[in-house]
Amino acid sequence: LSLVWSRPRRYWRQRPWRAVTCGLLLVALSLPGLLIQHEFRQIEKEQNARQAALHPTLSEPLTLGELTLPAGSRATLNTLEPLDWQQQPQAHGLQSVKEAELSEPIEVLGLRIDALDLPPSHYFSRVRLVADQPLEGWQCAAGEWAEFAREIEAQYQPSQWRWKHCRLAAGNRRGGLDWPAGSLVERESYGWRLRAADNSELSLDGLLLRSLEMSLNNDGELLGWSGALARPLTLGEWQHAAGTRVSQDQPGQWLFTPQLKEPSRHTGNGRQVGNAEQLRQRAADGYLLGIQANPWPDTFIWD
């Protein structure tokens, strides 16, 4: 930069040895920065190479246990290391696939799928459905994951998987309701548990409910349900605010759990029942069957 101006330019021409000395000094001072940049580039290059190795595209079909992934599928590997942290042999490379985006659909457990999620140290596997498909009497939605419980060692053995849950397509009627698309059905020991899709409102026994959950036995018979009132309700002599939790644990009876800041009120004497208590009313006419302590008082306000 000093050579741009005439006066310092003459100075350097008259003292070339100083110019050389300063130039060498500047180069020496620059070397650590240049070396650090070089190291950063090498580290970045190695990381990119490792990431590419962990996400290979299959050049030929790959068979893992009972699964065969078609050529062209994009896989995610768990590890490239042949030894684990205890220096014991472990599945690695293409034998450690934990995720796969398939180049073409395959059939697993009678389902047409286009992706797999196979966590190596977990007790579940997931498959993504190509189209709406039936599963144990339920219509599961296209583009959603169906999850299966399994033992860790059954990672690549679908015959040992047990269906756990999926998101529903339209057209599933259970418990007297048409469940909206996106609702969740889960397999339980007693039968089934249903959770309505987010932001949906369902009419059940004359109540408009949000966040509805329903339990059914293995024969599809209703065991109970719970939800939150989507609008204020007057039942018998009691007024319940929107958001009040309501459930049916016995036939013909509803159990109301008020919110923290929205107690239920008696229309006659103005008595209030807050979140520390629950009201049990007869569904047919709202007759108050009793007021009981809430065993699990809320620590937050229900939406």
Side-chain angles (χ1 to χ4, degrees):
L1 286 176
S2 66
L3 296 177
V4 175
W5 291 276
S6 59
R7 185 173 177 179
R9 187 164 57 242
R10 287 195 302 270
Y11 176 86
W12 293 122
R13 285 177 178 175
Q14 293 170 1
R15 300 168 180 81
W17 61 272
R18 290 190 178 181
V20 172
T21 301
C22 288
L24 292 175
L25 180 61
L26 289 173
V27 170
L29 292 174
S30 300
L31 280 177
L34 294 173
L35 289 174
I36 291 173
Q37 289 186 24
H38 176 71
E39 289 297 321
F40 282 158
R41 292 194 184 97
Q42 287 298 112
I43 292 172
E44 183 179 5
K45 184 177 179 180
E46 292 173 2
Q47 289 178 339
N48 290 339
R50 182 175 179 81
Q51 286 301 310
L54 285 170
H55 298 84
T57 298
L58 302 181
S59 58
E60 57 185 33
L62 174 65
T63 298
L64 298 167
E66 299 171 2
L67 299 169
T68 297
L69 313 184
S73 299
R74 178 77 168 171
T76 298
L77 311 183
N78 183 50
T79 183
L80 301 173
E81 304 301 328
L83 301 179
D84 63 16
W85 64 278
Q86 295 178 317
Q87 299 303 303
Q88 297 298 314
Q90 64 177 351
H92 63 284
L94 291 178
Q95 297 304 307
S96 69
V97 172
K98 64 178 182 179
E99 297 175 10
E101 289 284 339
L102 305 177
S103 57
E104 60 185 65
I106 64 173
E107 188 169 300
V108 174
L109 297 174
L111 302 170
R112 296 285 289 171
I113 68 168
D114 60 5
L116 288 157
D117 181 18
L118 310 165
S121 300
H122 293 73
Y123 291 90
F124 72 90
S125 291
R126 300 191 304 164
V127 299
R128 193 172 65 202
L129 305 181
V130 172
D132 293 351
Q133 297 177 68
L135 190 53
E136 295 193 23
W138 300 89
Q139 194 73 1
C140 297
E144 298 286 355
W145 294 93
E147 185 170 313
F148 296 80
R150 61 165 170 85
E151 300 302 322
I152 291 177
E153 57 271 17
Q155 181 182 11
Y156 303 130
Q157 310 296 329
S159 62
Q160 300 181 36
W161 298 355
R162 304 174 303 281
W163 181 48
K164 191 175 180 182
H165 62 71
C166 76
R167 292 284 175 183
L168 295 177
N172 289 275
R173 184 170 180 81
R174 295 290 194 285
L177 292 176
D178 291 314
W179 290 84
S183 298
L184 184 72
V185 58
E186 297 183 83
R187 195 70 167 99
E188 301 287 358
S189 58
Y190 57 78
W192 312 95
R193 182 169 58 150
L194 287 155
R195 283 190 288 174
D198 294 342
N199 302 318
S200 62
E201 296 183 356
L202 296 175
S203 179
L204 178 63
D205 295 337
L207 302 176
L208 189 62
L209 301 171
R210 292 186 283 110
S211 305
L212 178 63
E213 293 191 14
M214 182 177 287
S215 297
L216 307 172
N217 65 17
N218 287 311
D219 296 323
E221 298 170 341
L222 179 65
L223 297 176
W225 55 260
S226 67
L229 295 177
R231 62 182 60 169
L233 171 71
T234 298
L235 181 66
E237 298 179 327
W238 289 90
Q239 293 178 335
H240 305 288
T244 299
R245 299 296 297 181
V246 55
S247 61
Q248 178 181 295
D249 56 359
Q250 298 183 37
Q253 299 182 16
W254 292 337
L255 185 65
F256 293 89
T257 305
Q259 302 176 89
L260 282 174
K261 296 185 178 180
E262 292 287 348
S264 295
R265 293 177 173 83
H266 190 278
T267 58
N269 57 29
R271 178 185 175 184
Q272 297 187 4
V273 173
N275 180 252
E277 296 178 303
Q278 297 173 310
L279 299 94
R280 184 175 295 276
Q281 294 180 259
R282 197 160 54 202
D285 56 9
Y287 177 78
L288 182 65
L289 298 172
I291 297 176
Q292 62 193 52
N294 180 6
W296 301 288
D298 296 333
T299 56
F300 59 91
I301 299 175
W302 290 95
D303 292 332

